[in-house]
Amino acid sequence: MSILNLDSYFFVFSLSLIFNFLLIFFQSKMMGFGIDKGIGIQKLHKQNSLRLGGSIIILVSLLSTFIFIDNIIYFLKFYISISPIFFVGLMEDITQKISIKLRLIASIVSSLLLVDQTESVIVSLFIPIINIEISSYFFLMCFTV
């Protein structure tokens, strides 16, 4: 894995900023595609707002991985792991009709994939009363998720 220098961070930030500005600029021409109407109990904003900014950030991040990183296998595992929640979230942003149950399942699947691919589990809570030695990798994986 190569170490990114300040120029590469500036490039990625600038690219993300440019694409998000383009998204905002062309918002009126998108015919309501990805626009949140501000209706519903969870809505905080008073006017229509664009819901697709996160997809630009993910796409620029993926693009920059191919440009700046030498060993991309580790990062591809990350992107593959987050793909279920990304695509379900994108469909929610576009249609606003994806159930909370499906979003929760996609989150769990993405988390399981990420924990499995990186083999990163919580092994200790650093709370003396609760800190119990657990040898079951399956339990540690479920607890981490």
Side-chain angles (χ1 to χ4, degrees), residues 117-130:
Q117 291 296 313
T118 62
E119 298 178 0
S120 302
V121 292
I122 297 172
V123 294
S124 178
L125 296 176
F126 299 108
I127 302 172
I129 298 170
I130 301 175

Side-chain angles (χ1 to χ4, degrees), residues 5-74:
N5 59 27
L6 192 56
D7 291 339
S8 54
Y9 282 114
F10 181 73
F11 173 79
V12 172
F13 173 76
S14 299
L15 197 59
S16 181
L17 195 63
I18 289 167
F19 283 157
N20 272 299
F21 275 131
L22 288 173
L23 189 64
I24 292 168
F25 180 74
F26 289 111
Q27 174 182 352
S28 62
K29 295 164 184 50
M30 294 172 60
M31 298 177 289
F33 184 76
I35 306 293
D36 190 2
K37 308 298 188 278
I39 302 167
I41 194 166
Q42 300 172 347
K43 310 302 179 196
L44 298 175
H45 46 274
K46 304 284 187 227
Q47 58 192 16
N48 293 350
S49 64
L50 195 56
R51 298 174 57 129
L52 300 174
S55 59
I56 296 293
I57 293 170
I58 291 290
L59 294 175
V60 168
S61 173
L62 183 60
L63 176 67
S64 63
T65 299
F66 284 112
I67 294 172
F68 295 112
I69 304 297
D70 297 332
N71 182 6
I72 63 171
I73 299 300
Y74 180 80

Side-chain angles (χ1 to χ4, degrees), residues 124-143:
S124 178
L125 296 176
F126 299 108
I127 302 172
I129 298 170
I130 301 175
N131 201 9
I132 300 169
E133 193 82 20
I134 298 172
S135 59
S136 169
Y137 183 76
F138 176 75
F139 177 80
L140 291 173
M141 196 166 131
C142 291
F143 182 75

